[in-house]
Amino acid sequence: MKIQGRTFVVSGGASGLGRATVLEVVKAGGNAAILDMNRDAGEALAKEIGSAARFWECDVTDTDNIAACVAGIVSWVKETGAPLGGIVPAAGVGNPALMLDKSLRPLPLTNLDFVLSINLRGTLDLTRQLLPHLAKSPAEGPDGEHGVVVMVASAAAFEGQMGQVSYAASKGAVAAMTLPMARDLSRFGIRVVTVAPSMFESNMTAMLSEKVRTGLKKAMEFPPRPGRPEEFAGLVRHSIENVMLNGVVIRLDGATRMPSKL
């Protein structure tokens, strides 16, 4: 799939890994539809980029809001003549909580519902609403490819730490649905790839204490540092451009394996 002359939809696109992906898409000659809850950051990024980007305020837990954004994106695609090329649902939250705390209070269902509604349901809902339009995009290359979905899981899908039951469940589900989704969409010439990063510099990790960050670095092999957003975006770009990447979850972690606790 060529990025140049195509439009890519990125949720969580106003900051962190999503923002880096937006910038990488534009650098490669594509257009970026930026979806995010943060209107100020989203509009500022779209203004910084110019005509190759447009912002929509989007709550991925609200299916009607997603539908309105999709309608706006489809209209914008017709205006620009840059057909859809891919979907990168990168909106996500952490919200740690223990399964059973010291006072013997179980994990609140509100915690579980909040994390799943954004990380899992939001990923699925945005993707499913855009897929009919992606399937109708002009075919690209000798394989007749119509587009690609690049989802975002986490190293927590494989070795979640204490307090990450909800987060690990959401990201484990994203990893698990990669292959069946690829099988479902193969007849339409649409690929599905999932990137599972370890600790990367983002708004989510910025909230971690210095003690936690130091402990996480001890679990890293090489390089002994958090990943940079542009390194994540580089893998997203390769996933878009390499037609043989399909139905796979790619760890992006510098050989980091997370310990049970820090």
Side-chain angles (χ1 to χ4, degrees):
M1 174 55 56
K2 291 181 181 177
I3 295 178
Q4 186 172 12
R6 292 265 181 170
T7 299
F8 293 82
V9 181
V10 185
S11 67
S15 64
L17 304 183
R19 185 181 192 277
T21 300
V22 166
L23 293 173
E24 187 70 24
V25 162
V26 173
K27 184 174 73 173
N31 285 357
I34 306 164
L35 274 56
D36 205 286
M37 288 281 286
N38 190 329
R39 173 175 287 276
D40 290 343
E43 289 181 343
L45 179 58
K47 183 178 180 180
E48 174 188 334
I49 292 171
S51 61
R54 186 167 292 186
F55 171 73
W56 282 266
E57 187 173 357
C58 185
D59 177 357
V60 296
T61 70
D62 184 338
T63 193
D64 292 333
N65 187 191
I66 292 174
C69 293
V70 169
I73 292 166
V74 170
S75 178
W76 184 51
V77 163
K78 290 178 181 177
E79 289 175 21
T80 62
L84 279 176
I87 309 162
V88 186
V93 294
N95 204 31
L98 291 168
M99 192 67 189
L100 192 65
D101 69 15
K102 293 179 180 178
S103 300
L104 301 184
R105 292 174 298 195
L107 175 77
L109 279 180
T110 51
N111 176 281
L112 179 66
D113 291 341
F114 176 67
V115 174
L116 290 180
S117 66
I118 295 174
N119 295 359
L120 178 56
R121 188 181 186 276
T123 292
L124 271 171
D125 198 4
L126 177 64
T127 300
R128 74 175 188 89
Q129 292 200 45
L130 281 164
L131 280 172
H133 306 286
L134 190 60
K136 290 185 288 188
S137 288
E140 178 67 49
D143 297 301
E145 184 178 12
H146 287 267
V148 58
V149 179
V150 183
M151 299 188 293
V152 184
S154 167
F158 313 107
E159 58 254 4
Q161 295 181 288
M162 288 179 64
Q164 288 190 330
V165 169
S166 298
Y167 184 69
S170 68
K171 293 303 187 178
V174 170
M177 68 188 183
T178 304
L179 180 58
M181 190 183 295
R183 288 170 168 169
D184 280 359
L185 299 178
S186 62
R187 71 183 69 184
F188 303 104
I190 296 173
R191 293 183 292 113
V192 182
V193 179
T194 294
V195 178
S198 58
M199 183 180 173
F200 269 66
E201 296 293 354
S202 67
N203 284 352
M204 193 184 304
T205 59
M207 296 186 294
L208 297 176
S209 69
E210 192 57 37
K211 178 183 177 182
V212 171
R213 293 173 70 87
T214 300
L216 286 171
K217 287 180 182 178
K218 292 179 181 178
M220 299 172 183
E221 299 300 334
F222 184 83
R225 60 167 175 81
R228 301 186 180 108
E230 57 268 25
E231 292 168 331
F232 171 86
L235 182 54
V236 172
R237 176 173 178 173
H238 186 69
S239 298
I240 292 169
E241 294 178 333
N242 191 329
V243 72
M244 285 303 291
L245 286 176
N246 191 19
V248 65
V249 179
I250 306 172
R251 293 186 65 138
L252 187 63
D253 56 26
T256 299
R257 294 298 180 268
M258 304 304 291
S260 170
K261 55 185 177 181
L262 300 177

